[in-house]
Amino acid sequence: MPLQPLTPSVRLLRRQPNPQPRFKTPVRTPKPIPPFAFLTKSPVVSVLMSPRKPKSPTLSESKTAIQKSIFSSRNGLGAYIADPASYPSSRVITYSDAFVTIHDLYPKSSIHLLLLPRDPSKNLQDPFTALADPVFCAQVQAEVRKLRMLVAKELKRRFGRDSALEQRREQALEKGEEEGHEGRDWSQDVMAGIHARPSMNHLHIHILSRDFHSDCMRHRKHYNSFHTGFFIDVDDFPLAEDDPRRDPGRVGFLNKEFRCWRCEKDFGKSFAALKRHLEDEFEDWKKV
């Protein structure tokens, strides 16, 4: 069938393929909804979403904050003296009106305790002055003897199974041969003393095993502060006025060359070599 020519109306529509409507419908733009607005319609959620008032610290938290602000830096031991009951048994071991015993926060041996006298007339004095008082010195020494035995018992509990002397004693007891088999005297492996120039202001006495096996033994001064005259045995007090340990800087204890505490091998200035050697000595020491 032949195509018919386009009429004017058809041609007009072809020229305007998208005819616009005569009247435009206005477009309404919705108002923005605030985030989580739909949640706040619920009274319960509204309370939860409202800003919270800051939580008031508890009494123990307030005391801890005060202690940290007062007993900071070199006065840190004062917090234990002031309120030992506020600390857990993992930190404070025993306390009385006269003394507090704590675990050293940075132990230099497998067992390392600190004895803190509580007498306010003594505990901020330097050790030479405080322990020049014979009565106070005797009280400290008596308390140290108790702690020596406590540390000795703990050493036996930890390492007794490795000790040849302890094993022979156990074998003898099984056979009923107690006489002549007293086992290992662990108290001989306990040191107790004071640094000639303490790092903390409050008077404190170190009671520690002499193995020097600890991750906190990191610097040369750590070792020499316990294995030279810088560390003064508590039983040596009161010191004579002319005792050279009163002036550790002049003697140079902390700068001395390293010697093994057990075999006296000389390591010169090599702390790294000493540390490796101490690991071997620790294993051998346990087996005695």
Side-chain angles (χ1 to χ4, degrees):
M1 178 178 180
L3 297 173
Q4 299 295 325
L6 297 173
T7 62
S9 61
V10 174
R11 285 197 296 269
L12 179 61
L13 289 173
R14 287 289 181 89
R15 285 196 299 269
Q16 299 178 6
N18 296 313
Q20 298 295 325
R22 181 175 297 180
F23 301 102
K24 294 183 179 180
T25 304
V27 179
R28 294 181 180 180
T29 304
K31 294 182 179 180
I33 301 175
F36 305 107
F38 64 95
L39 291 176
T40 58
K41 293 180 180 179
S42 166
V44 176
V45 176
S46 179
V47 172
L48 293 175
M49 295 296 294
S50 62
R52 294 185 178 182
K53 295 181 180 179
K55 182 182 177 182
S56 300
T58 63
L59 180 60
S60 61
E61 289 172 340
S62 299
K63 289 170 66 177
T64 301
I66 293 171
Q67 288 175 354
K68 285 183 177 180
S69 64
I70 297 175
F71 302 113
S72 59
S73 188
R74 288 175 60 92
N75 290 319
L77 296 178
Y80 302 105
I81 296 170
D83 190 10
S86 66
Y87 290 89
S89 57
S90 59
R91 178 61 56 206
V92 173
I93 302 170
T94 62
Y95 64 91
S96 65
D97 291 340
F99 298 100
V100 179
T101 305
I102 67 172
H103 289 285
D104 194 299
L105 194 59
Y106 303 102
K108 301 306 184 292
S109 280
S110 56
I111 303 176
H112 190 169
L113 312 183
L114 296 180
L115 176 66
L116 313 176
R118 301 185 75 180
D119 185 344
S121 68
K122 301 291 185 185
N123 61 23
L124 283 173
Q125 291 183 339
D126 70 84
F128 304 115
T129 301
L131 295 174
D133 180 341
V135 176
F136 177 70
C137 184
Q139 292 174 345
V140 170
Q141 291 168 340
E143 194 69 17
V144 166
R145 284 194 289 272
K146 298 176 187 177
L147 293 176
R148 278 184 185 271
M149 299 311 299
L150 184 67
V151 173
K153 289 180 179 178
E154 179 62 13
L155 285 174
K156 181 178 179 179
R157 187 188 70 82
R158 291 191 190 185
F159 307 123
R161 68 185 66 181
D162 300 313
S163 169
L165 286 173
E166 291 292 348
Q167 290 174 6
R168 284 199 291 269
R169 179 176 181 273
E170 291 298 324
Q171 293 169 359
L173 291 176
E174 290 176 0
K175 298 177 182 178
E177 301 173 357
E178 183 174 354
E179 187 176 353
H181 298 279
E182 298 179 356
R184 181 170 174 175
D185 184 2
W186 293 97
S187 65
Q188 296 299 312
D189 294 300
V190 181
M191 306 167 58
I194 299 174
H195 286 142
R197 286 184 180 169
S199 59
M200 306 295 281
N201 288 335
H202 289 83
L203 180 63
H204 57 284
I205 300 92
H206 297 265
I207 302 96
L208 68 163
S209 54
R210 67 172 68 249
D211 53 89
F212 299 115
H213 180 73
S214 172
D215 291 338
C216 295
M217 180 70 73
R218 298 174 182 171
H219 305 292
R220 59 180 299 120
K221 66 178 182 180
H222 291 162
Y223 184 77
N224 275 349
S225 68
F226 287 97
H227 190 56
T228 65
F230 193 87
F231 186 75
I232 306 171
D233 193 299
V234 70
D235 289 333
D236 291 350
F237 285 91
L239 291 188
E241 289 297 327
D242 59 348
D243 194 305
R245 291 174 292 181
R246 286 179 174 270
D247 189 2
R250 182 174 60 84
V251 181
F253 291 123
L254 297 181
N255 295 321
K256 286 184 175 294
E257 295 186 345
F258 300 117
R259 287 185 176 275
C260 173
W261 67 271
R262 192 161 178 260
C263 69
E264 289 298 322
K265 182 178 179 179
D266 191 338
F267 289 90
K269 298 293 185 180
S270 179
F271 182 68
L274 171 69
K275 280 282 289 181
R276 290 192 295 269
H277 178 76
L278 290 178
E279 292 295 319
D280 295 334
E281 286 287 16
F282 176 66
E283 295 301 323
D284 292 339
W285 168 78
K286 291 191 296 183
K287 297 174 184 177
V288 172

